[in-house]
Amino acid sequence: DGGITQSPKYLFRKEGQNVTLSCEQNLNHDAMYWYRQDPGQGLRLIYYSQIVNDFQKGDIAEGYSVSREKKESFPLTVTSAQKNPTAFYLCASSIDLATSAQETQYFGPGTRLLVL
Amino acid sequence: GESVGLHLPTLSVQEGDNSIINCAYSNSASDYFIWYKQESGKGPQFIIDIRSNMDKRQGQRVTVLLNKTVKHLSLQIAATQPGDSAVYFCAERSYNTDKLIFGTGTRLQVFP
C-alpha cells in the first residue's frame, strides 16, 4: 500500500522543548517537502529536499530543522526557537523536478502541533 | 474536526448542481497548475493538473480551465455530491523555480 505517512497525528509541545515530526514515503519519490498550514492562509514552505543528504530552506525555515539521511524519510524538528509553532504540518513528496516533468506533490495526512 | 480555514470564501451549492471554483494567480511565468481538495483534518488530495500550453483538461466529473490572458484558473465539478464538500485550493509553479505557490482556498458546501 503506497503512500506518505506522518506521525503522530497530534503532538503536544511544552515551552522550550524540541519536537520531531515524522514523514515517511514508499513512493520512491526523490523530492520531499514540509509545509505549515495556518487557518485562512495558503500552505507555506518550511524546507524541501530534492535528494538524499541535501535540503534547502523554504520561505519560513527559522525555528525548524530537517534531515534527509534516507530517501524515504524526511523528519522535521520544531525547535524552541520557533515561538509560534501551533499549526497543521504537512509533508509532501514528488518525483525529482530536475529530471522529470511530473511536478505534482502528494501529501501525507498531516500532524497537528499544539503548545501546552 | 479541525478547520483548515476559518475565514475562507464559501461556495454553497445544491446536490446535483455544477460547481465552479475560481483561482487567480499572479505570476505570468507560471507554467503548471494543480487543484487540491482538502477535507477537514486531512492532508490535501490531488484532483487535477494542467500545463500552460493547454486551456482545458478534463477528469472524472472535474474540468480545469486556464485563461492565461487574465491569469485565471477554474475548477468545475459536475453533479456535485455531498462528498465533494471540502476546501479546494489551487497551486502554481513558475518555470524557473521548483516550488509550488498555494492559494488560500475556497470552501465548498453541498446541501441536499
Side-chain angles (χ1 to χ4, degrees):
Chain A
D1 194 19
I4 305 172
T5 57
Q6 292 185 241
S7 62
K9 184 174 176 65
Y10 295 94
L11 185 58
F12 298 91
R13 194 191 90 163
K14 296 179 181 179
E15 292 288 337
Q17 185 181 40
N18 293 352
V19 292
T20 298
L21 285 62
S22 169
C23 178
E24 304 278 331
Q25 55 96 2
N26 60 5
L27 301 168
N28 200 34
H29 285 172
D30 291 308
M32 297 185 75
Y33 312 81
W34 274 106
Y35 293 92
R36 171 180 171 137
Q37 186 174 40
D38 294 280
Q41 298 189 35
L43 300 183
R44 292 185 290 168
L45 182 64
I46 305 173
Y47 268 99
Y48 65 105
S49 168
Q50 291 183 292
I51 195 170
V52 175
N53 293 322
D54 186 51
F55 49 83
Q56 287 79 40
K57 292 182 179 179
D59 301 318
I60 55 166
E62 185 175 352
Y64 301 96
S65 66
V66 294
S67 63
R68 187 85 188 278
E69 298 176 1
K70 298 186 296 183
K71 185 176 183 177
E72 59 270 21
S73 179
F74 191 41
L76 172 74
T77 296
V78 184
T79 74
S80 58
Q82 173 49 246
K83 299 307 179 185
N84 184 25
T86 298
F88 192 47
Y89 290 86
L90 289 160
C91 178
S93 71
S94 70
I95 294 175
D96 180 44
L97 300 173
T99 59
S100 169
Q102 298 185 44
E103 304 95 326
T104 306
Q105 294 183 19
Y106 297 92
F107 286 85
T111 292
R112 182 159 297 278
L113 178 61
L114 300 167
V115 177
L116 295 177
Chain B
E2 299 86 356
S3 171
V4 300
L6 296 179
H7 304 291
L8 296 175
T10 299
L11 174 66
S12 297
V13 300
Q14 190 166 23
E15 182 178 357
D17 287 351
N18 296 334
S19 303
I20 300 176
I21 301 171
N22 298 304
C23 181
Y25 64 95
S26 57
N27 189 352
S28 57
S30 292
D31 65 346
Y32 177 68
F33 305 87
I34 309 175
W35 278 102
Y36 287 95
K37 171 187 179 183
Q38 187 175 24
E39 297 176 82
S40 184
K42 297 183 179 180
Q45 176 186 356
F46 170 83
I47 302 174
I48 192 168
D49 58 2
I50 189 169
R51 297 193 181 282
S52 58
N53 60 353
M54 302 173 69
D55 297 322
K56 179 181 179 179
R57 191 166 187 222
Q58 289 184 291
Q60 187 177 10
R61 273 201 314 120
V62 295
T63 301
V64 55
L65 299 176
L66 176 63
N67 185 332
K68 295 180 286 294
T69 302
V70 295
K71 296 199 285 287
H72 183 267
L73 191 70
S74 69
L75 176 71
Q76 300 179 0
I77 304 174
T80 313
Q81 302 169 0
D84 294 326
S85 295
V87 173
Y88 291 81
F89 54 90
C90 63
E92 61 181 293
R93 187 189 77 100
S94 173
Y95 78 97
N96 58 353
T97 75
D98 49 11
K99 302 177 187 178
L100 290 177
I101 306 299
F102 293 86
T104 56
T106 296
R107 184 181 306 281
L108 176 65
Q109 293 181 332
V110 183
F111 56 92

